[in-house]
Amino acid sequence: MRILIATAGSRGDVAPYTGLGAALRRAGYDVAVATTDTFAPMVRDAGLGFRRLPADTRGHAGVRSNREVMRAAAAFTAELGQGFADAVSEGTDLLLLSTTTAPLGWHIGEATGIPSLGVYLQPTAPTGDFPPVVTGARSLGRLGNRTAGRLALRMADRIYAEAVAGLRERLRLPSLSAAAMRARQERAGWPVLHGFGTALVPRPADWRPGLEVVGPWWPHHDAGERLPSELEDFLDAGPRPVLVGFGSMAAGDGERLSELAVRALRRAGLRGILQSGNAGLAAEGDDVLTVGDVPHALLFPRLAAAVHHAGAGTSAATLRAAVPSVAVPVTADQPFWAGRLARIGAAPAPVPFTTLTADGLAGALGRVVGDEAYARAAEKAARHLAAEDGAARVVEAVRRLTRA
């Protein structure tokens, strides 16, 4: 069986699917990942086939306001829809669709008859338990949360409207709005497996059947992979350091953020590792080291804490390693995950990116490293996560589908 995992967005939207794809490949399936060119090496390094989706998020990495995010997302999905059908036509028996690709993949499934399964990294279905992830962490009450959740879905439908119209025309399907297709899938009980831990987000009791929280699937890395020798030497040279990194966020702010981070670390009396990311963080000194991309699974267990943008994958990786966080959310779903980390006690209150200062960061670092309660909460979540194997649950679901 040829399985195509379709995902697109930032690195955090793609990397976890390399681990999921590798698990499916070990189970005997022929697996390819359809995503943008930027991530082709990552996909191929996991031993998976690569199929190109013609869109690029690099030009959108600096956007911050919700309005900018909406505008960039609409342009991104319009590009994405143009090549989705081509990726599927290379040979596909089952589609696994991410949050970003499902609103397009449903139409391809209608045209081709190819079955599909949702594999989401964010909760999108309305619930009274929490507000939609795109609106932050503040609860509006159960009725307000559900109402806001439905509004968020309507906003998403608007983002995909142009891409859906173009894709259906290409597929020679009759006109159907993005909202109408979403409603059709809901009525049919289309299954979605959510790849995050129940320690952060338990499954809401008011979700419909077919929506499950199964636990994370982690980015692939080779069993023999090691950290760079310079990083190993730094880790061995003193107390556990703090990682500071903003992933795909904060492009163009590298110089300011680097200076701010180093001042904060030194005021807190901590050694630090700056992960360059899209921001281009960089600094030199006996007490600070700059690194590029390194596997979270190898580095995070050796940290005292992590300062990060609270993307879904990074947030989960800190808990997996039992490491407390200082969350500095920038945009999109990051305030939601930052709030979740604080709610379980594995991080202090989030520090919004727009109000980040050296003094504020130093104070947050002093609290999170000095108060053992944060580490204990992270350790509790780590034990919870260790009992959840999201990739295995997806493999089981795929096997059920293929036997049906």
Side-chain angles (χ1 to χ4, degrees), residues 244-250 257 275 277 279 281 307-309 328 330 353 356:
V244 180
F246 295 93
S248 300
M249 297 293 106
L257 289 172
Q275 189 162 33
L281 300 184
V307 178
H308 57 89
H309 60 299
V328 186
V330 181
F353 182 81
L356 183 64

Side-chain angles (χ1 to χ4, degrees), residues 2 5 12 17 86 124 150 155 163 166 192 208 229 281 299 303 321 370 393 395 397:
R2 297 163 299 178
I5 303 172
Y17 293 100
D86 289 335
T124 63
R150 290 191 290 269
M155 291 171 61
V192 181
R208 65 164 173 82
S229 58
L281 300 184
L299 175 59
L303 300 174
R393 292 280 300 277
V395 170

